[in-house]
Amino acid sequence: METASFLIRKLAEDRVALLGALLISLLVLTAIFAPFLATHPADIAEFHPVERLQGPATAHFFGTDRMGSDIYSRILFGARITITIAVIAIGVSVLIGVPIGLIAGYYHGWFSDMLMRTSDIFLAVPQIVLAIAIAQTLGPSIENVILALSATYWPFWTRLVYAETRSLQNEVFIEASIALGAPPWRVMLLHILPNIMSSIIVRTTIGMGGTILTAAALGFLGLGAPAPSPEWGRMISESREFLPEAWWYATAPGLAIFMVVMGFNLLGDGLRDILDPRIRRSRAHDSK
Amino acid sequence: MTANSRSDDLLRVRDLSVSFATDGGVARVLDHVNMTIGRGRIVGLVGESGCGKTTLARAILGVLPSNSARVDSGTIDFDGTDLLQKSPEWLARNVRGRQISFIPQDPFSSFNPVFPIGSQIMELMKWKSPELSEEDVLRPRWRPGSYSRARRNADYERVLILLRKVQLPEPEAILRKYPHEVSGGQRQRLMIAMALLPEPKLVIADEATTALDVTIQAQILMLLRELATDLGVSVLFTTHDLGTAYEICDRITVMYAGQEMESATSNEFFNHPTHPYTNSLLRSLPSREHGIQGIRGEIPSLIDPPTGCRFNPRCDNSVAVCRQDRPDPTDMGDGHIVRCFNPVSAEQRAKAS
Amino acid sequence: MKLLVLVLNRFFWFFPTVLGLMLVTFTISHVIPADPVAFVAGDNATNEQIEALRAQLGLDQPVHVQLYRYVLSVVQGDFGVSLYTLRPISHDLASRVPATLELTFVAVLLSAAIGIPLGVISAVNRNSLLDHLLRVFTVSGLAIAAFWLAILLQLLFAMELGWTPLQGRVDGWGPDEVTRFYLIDSLLMGDLDIFLSAASHMMLPAITLAYPAMATIVRFTRAGVLEAINSNYVMYEEAMGFPRRVIVWKFVLRNALIGTVTQIGLIFGILIANAVVVEAVFDWPGLGLYAVQSILQSDYNAIMGFTVVAGVIFIVVNLIVDIAHGFIDPRESR
């Protein structure tokens, strides 16, 4: 709790990180209150061909799409998809990646090596390439996008946790608790994990941004939620045949992706500055 | 220049105050400091870490961190020139690495890790050739500009001679190596060679032996002392170790919390310590009679230092005036200078062993 | 000696990594689908056709036999036949590799040429207005969706202003194929028109690809320079009177660049990932566009072939980067 209040206090001082947190809050609030904020809430599934491809106006803030649906409302509902995909995919990645990293880092031997080699293989290919292969095999749907992302992103946490665990093992307090006969699970959960939590939090925050970008790219390629889902990447992809006349069509969803990813990146940068002791040390004054 | 330049003193620091902006406030790291280095003399600047000796060394070199440090008052008179009145560019070109050179504390991290040792030394030679411009120095080796091959070879020979002087075996081989490939003692010998290369008047050695093994420390100290005496170079040697200072220095200045407390020739210093702080320091050396005695209390905050003498809260001799006024340096005779209202008496005095 | 060990070690791990990659693609293509044959054959196939195909593809064999055959054929460069072009997938892929490589090389050069100086300037003027502006610029580069940036650039420069071609790699026929890099081949032919055409087609996709990569380079260079500036050796170089300019651009930069070079692998990952969508937008006839077309046509073997080839390219690049790092960092090599 002490660390949480320390974090919040520090974050409040960092205007850039605060902006990030603000953007993320905006996304969350948008997702929750989409039905109330939307001017045309029915438009995620309802079409008005008469009103198709109209520019931004008071009736439609961000214009309408090829089906005559209100882009503003669709973007609000799209936030729900984005959050769902990012939170579940990253959550699963953390739940897979962290334990594997802990075990591979704590124990030494062929099993650890094998775990790390496996994660290296997944890291040896750009995430989107594997995700395309998986999502294509499984067919386009939100669930499959989540699955594809989880299957490709977990090694990031394994790598991180592995490296941090190995370096912590040389610390006296870890050696001491092992020497005192603490069982391995106890050392891992009560001594190692709390000490690497801050790195995991930073990695997770920045990972959210990357995952949202990849998910949007999958949507853009037609591997995400099928039409008429208001998925942002898909909306941009749909807009292409109506360029340059319907310039607003791609603009709004692209900006939405940009702001959300920016939010996570800024917050992640801010958290790293606060939590990374190496940076803190170099900031301290040398007044010898 | 003026009559001053003919004086016996090479360096005179007077009334120097430097403060640092820190997160907690402004810290007065040097508070009206005075110090003198005679020509050809080795002066030890002794004090605990945080006492300001590194800051003083950096102030003389003119490399205080420009964003956080500020000089509040004082003069640094070097060979008749007040260095504080000169521009950073002038100092870099004419003083640093030429008239005043530097031996760093940590020979392990003070070499640039990605250049061979020889190339680092040759860069120094190049930059210190008065006729070469900044552009010439920036040029890569395969476009030598006005730095001719003949000139380079001559410089290279000079470097070899100097490396033999600091007793480095196979200097040609060492010049081809990278810093991480030679031992700590060799690196510090190289640092000494580089410091002497421009034939300086003053060498500032900042804790130059602290990072080394004890056995190598002694060799390096001897070498430094020999070369300095041979070449008539003055040395400012900062250290936290009184024993080291005693081995090599002609004169010792003790600093505490940003002020110099006492300054005397080595013999005088060890036989007649006069400031209560110095006295406690000497008593805190392990000895057969009384074991190890610490100094009570803690080093004061430099952001909110005690009024009067900065040592007064920890001082056994402290009297009322110590808590109000800052004592001025007083010459007790023969250049033995003490900043104290109530110096130690003969009975209190620690005996040097 | 140390360098030799490093090179051998990297080569030693190359083969298991590629094998592992094949294991992953095999799992995706043969194990995950409930009925891979129906999947490959498509929706309109009859039962007889499916059974025939099953036998033909060897999918009636046990899994380990299938895996063995799969690895054997992939190692020989056989990814099967495209269901759409009906040509061997390896031919399709091979004809498209040069376009993607040319694009990514130009993007890497562009991002390094701009990103390294910007990173140094940003670090030297730390916390200045310029530094803050550059920070906004780089943070944006990492947050922007490449396909969206591609569309915006296309909208502005190609459609509205008409300064650059909309899409494609060159107008009319390409140059005689020697290296199959159009920029080089056109110069070899001495045909300036083709060169200019190829260069103008290259402009927007290369900028789109380079922007996020450049943002990464700026960040790493800035961090590397800052770390070096605060180091003891810079303190020493300053104490010996070297001017700031010499210290930064001669002594510090080399240190910072070693750190940046190790990131080229990561940067290449970003490039390949973005190349898929960027090629789709600009109709750039490379691997990415092939993958996108295969997705649209559910050309399943082709996607697996693309995955393996993209993965191998990425692994090879990382192998080269690791070895290059060993050569330029004296602490690694000696």
Side-chain angles (χ1 to χ4, degrees), chain A residues 283-288, chain B residues 21-22 55 58 68 105:
Chain A
R283 275 184 177 178
H285 287 272
D286 172 30
S287 51
K288 244 189 271 176
Chain B
T22 70
T55 303
R58 286 191 182 190
S68 57
Q105 172 169 6

PDB file of all heavy atoms in Angstrom, chain A residues 283-288, chain B residues 21-22 55 58 68 105:
ATOM      1  N   ARG A 283      20.005   9.958 -11.576  1.00  0.00           N
ATOM      2  CA  ARG A 283      19.441  11.283 -11.392  1.00  0.00           C
ATOM      3  C   ARG A 283      19.935  11.923 -10.107  1.00  0.00           C
ATOM      4  O   ARG A 283      19.931  13.138  -9.953  1.00  0.00           O
ATOM      5  CB  ARG A 283      17.913  11.200 -11.321  1.00  0.00           C
ATOM      6  CG  ARG A 283      17.264  11.208 -12.659  1.00  0.00           C
ATOM      7  CD  ARG A 283      15.776  11.231 -12.460  1.00  0.00           C
ATOM      8  NE  ARG A 283      15.089  11.302 -13.742  1.00  0.00           N
ATOM      9  CZ  ARG A 283      13.773  11.291 -13.844  1.00  0.00           C
ATOM     10  NH1 ARG A 283      13.025  11.212 -12.766  1.00  0.00           N
ATOM     11  NH2 ARG A 283      13.212  11.357 -15.016  1.00  0.00           N
ATOM     12  N   ALA A 284      20.327  11.090  -9.133  1.00  0.00           N
ATOM     13  CA  ALA A 284      20.752  11.609  -7.836  1.00  0.00           C
ATOM     14  C   ALA A 284      21.994  12.481  -8.020  1.00  0.00           C
ATOM     15  O   ALA A 284      22.790  12.293  -8.923  1.00  0.00           O
ATOM     16  CB  ALA A 284      21.047  10.460  -6.894  1.00  0.00           C
ATOM     17  N   HIS A 285      22.129  13.473  -7.175  1.00  0.00           N
ATOM     18  CA  HIS A 285      23.257  14.388  -7.333  1.00  0.00           C
ATOM     19  C   HIS A 285      24.492  13.838  -6.655  1.00  0.00           C
ATOM     20  O   HIS A 285      24.429  13.236  -5.595  1.00  0.00           O
ATOM     21  CB  HIS A 285      22.909  15.747  -6.730  1.00  0.00           C
ATOM     22  CG  HIS A 285      21.936  16.485  -7.563  1.00  0.00           C
ATOM     23  ND1 HIS A 285      22.308  17.306  -8.579  1.00  0.00           N
ATOM     24  CD2 HIS A 285      20.585  16.489  -7.545  1.00  0.00           C
ATOM     25  CE1 HIS A 285      21.230  17.798  -9.145  1.00  0.00           C
ATOM     26  NE2 HIS A 285      20.177  17.317  -8.540  1.00  0.00           N
ATOM     27  N   ASP A 286      25.589  14.072  -7.325  1.00  0.00           N
ATOM     28  CA  ASP A 286      26.861  13.659  -6.769  1.00  0.00           C
ATOM     29  C   ASP A 286      27.506  14.891  -6.158  1.00  0.00           C
ATOM     30  O   ASP A 286      28.023  15.737  -6.851  1.00  0.00           O
ATOM     31  CB  ASP A 286      27.735  13.085  -7.896  1.00  0.00           C
ATOM     32  CG  ASP A 286      29.138  12.827  -7.426  1.00  0.00           C
ATOM     33  OD1 ASP A 286      29.307  12.532  -6.233  1.00  0.00           O
ATOM     34  OD2 ASP A 286      30.054  12.935  -8.246  1.00  0.00           O
ATOM     35  N   SER A 287      27.421  15.004  -4.858  1.00  0.00           N
ATOM     36  CA  SER A 287      27.912  16.240  -4.232  1.00  0.00           C
ATOM     37  C   SER A 287      29.083  15.947  -3.313  1.00  0.00           C
ATOM     38  O   SER A 287      29.115  16.338  -2.164  1.00  0.00           O
ATOM     39  CB  SER A 287      26.787  16.931  -3.463  1.00  0.00           C
ATOM     40  OG  SER A 287      26.169  16.010  -2.598  1.00  0.00           O
ATOM     41  N   LYS A 288      30.005  15.201  -3.838  1.00  0.00           N
ATOM     42  CA  LYS A 288      31.183  14.879  -3.042  1.00  0.00           C
ATOM     43  C   LYS A 288      32.056  16.102  -2.838  1.00  0.00           C
ATOM     44  O   LYS A 288      32.164  16.906  -3.750  1.00  0.00           O
ATOM     45  CB  LYS A 288      32.001  13.784  -3.742  1.00  0.00           C
ATOM     46  CG  LYS A 288      32.056  12.515  -2.909  1.00  0.00           C
ATOM     47  CD  LYS A 288      33.034  11.535  -3.504  1.00  0.00           C
ATOM     48  CE  LYS A 288      32.383  10.621  -4.527  1.00  0.00           C
ATOM     49  NZ  LYS A 288      33.330   9.745  -5.170  1.00  0.00           N
TER      50      LYS A 288
ATOM     51  N   ALA B  21      22.632  22.880  -6.521  1.00  0.00           N
ATOM     52  CA  ALA B  21      21.184  22.752  -6.409  1.00  0.00           C
ATOM     53  C   ALA B  21      20.862  21.268  -6.312  1.00  0.00           C
ATOM     54  O   ALA B  21      21.249  20.490  -7.168  1.00  0.00           O
ATOM     55  CB  ALA B  21      20.520  23.354  -7.638  1.00  0.00           C
ATOM     56  N   THR B  22      20.192  20.856  -5.231  1.00  0.00           N
ATOM     57  CA  THR B  22      19.795  19.454  -5.094  1.00  0.00           C
ATOM     58  C   THR B  22      18.284  19.401  -4.926  1.00  0.00           C
ATOM     59  O   THR B  22      17.634  20.442  -4.810  1.00  0.00           O
ATOM     60  CB  THR B  22      20.440  18.789  -3.873  1.00  0.00           C
ATOM     61  OG1 THR B  22      19.837  19.351  -2.701  1.00  0.00           O
ATOM     62  CG2 THR B  22      21.939  19.027  -3.833  1.00  0.00           C
ATOM     63  N   THR B  55      34.855  18.278  -5.053  1.00  0.00           N
ATOM     64  CA  THR B  55      34.309  19.512  -5.616  1.00  0.00           C
ATOM     65  C   THR B  55      35.408  20.558  -5.772  1.00  0.00           C
ATOM     66  O   THR B  55      35.478  21.254  -6.796  1.00  0.00           O
ATOM     67  CB  THR B  55      33.199  20.062  -4.706  1.00  0.00           C
ATOM     68  OG1 THR B  55      32.202  19.055  -4.560  1.00  0.00           O
ATOM     69  CG2 THR B  55      32.586  21.311  -5.298  1.00  0.00           C
ATOM     70  N   ARG B  58      37.462  19.654  -8.728  1.00  0.00           N
ATOM     71  CA  ARG B  58      36.746  19.948  -9.970  1.00  0.00           C
ATOM     72  C   ARG B  58      36.663  21.444 -10.225  1.00  0.00           C
ATOM     73  O   ARG B  58      36.702  21.886 -11.373  1.00  0.00           O
ATOM     74  CB  ARG B  58      35.326  19.386  -9.903  1.00  0.00           C
ATOM     75  CG  ARG B  58      35.280  17.896 -10.051  1.00  0.00           C
ATOM     76  CD  ARG B  58      33.852  17.450 -10.246  1.00  0.00           C
ATOM     77  NE  ARG B  58      33.786  15.993 -10.347  1.00  0.00           N
ATOM     78  CZ  ARG B  58      32.700  15.344 -10.706  1.00  0.00           C
ATOM     79  NH1 ARG B  58      31.592  16.010 -10.975  1.00  0.00           N
ATOM     80  NH2 ARG B  58      32.701  14.040 -10.787  1.00  0.00           N
ATOM     81  N   SER B  68      24.031  22.229 -12.257  1.00  0.00           N
ATOM     82  CA  SER B  68      23.619  22.211 -10.856  1.00  0.00           C
ATOM     83  C   SER B  68      24.565  22.980  -9.933  1.00  0.00           C
ATOM     84  O   SER B  68      24.176  23.355  -8.840  1.00  0.00           O
ATOM     85  CB  SER B  68      23.500  20.763 -10.365  1.00  0.00           C
ATOM     86  OG  SER B  68      24.715  20.092 -10.541  1.00  0.00           O
ATOM     87  N   GLN B 105      40.080   8.985 -10.146  1.00  0.00           N
ATOM     88  CA  GLN B 105      39.971   8.063  -9.028  1.00  0.00           C
ATOM     89  C   GLN B 105      39.935   6.620  -9.497  1.00  0.00           C
ATOM     90  O   GLN B 105      40.578   5.760  -8.934  1.00  0.00           O
ATOM     91  CB  GLN B 105      38.674   8.391  -8.275  1.00  0.00           C
ATOM     92  CG  GLN B 105      38.324   7.407  -7.206  1.00  0.00           C
ATOM     93  CD  GLN B 105      37.202   7.935  -6.341  1.00  0.00           C
ATOM     94  OE1 GLN B 105      36.625   8.967  -6.615  1.00  0.00           O
ATOM     95  NE2 GLN B 105      36.902   7.232  -5.276  1.00  0.00           N
TER      96      GLN B 105
END
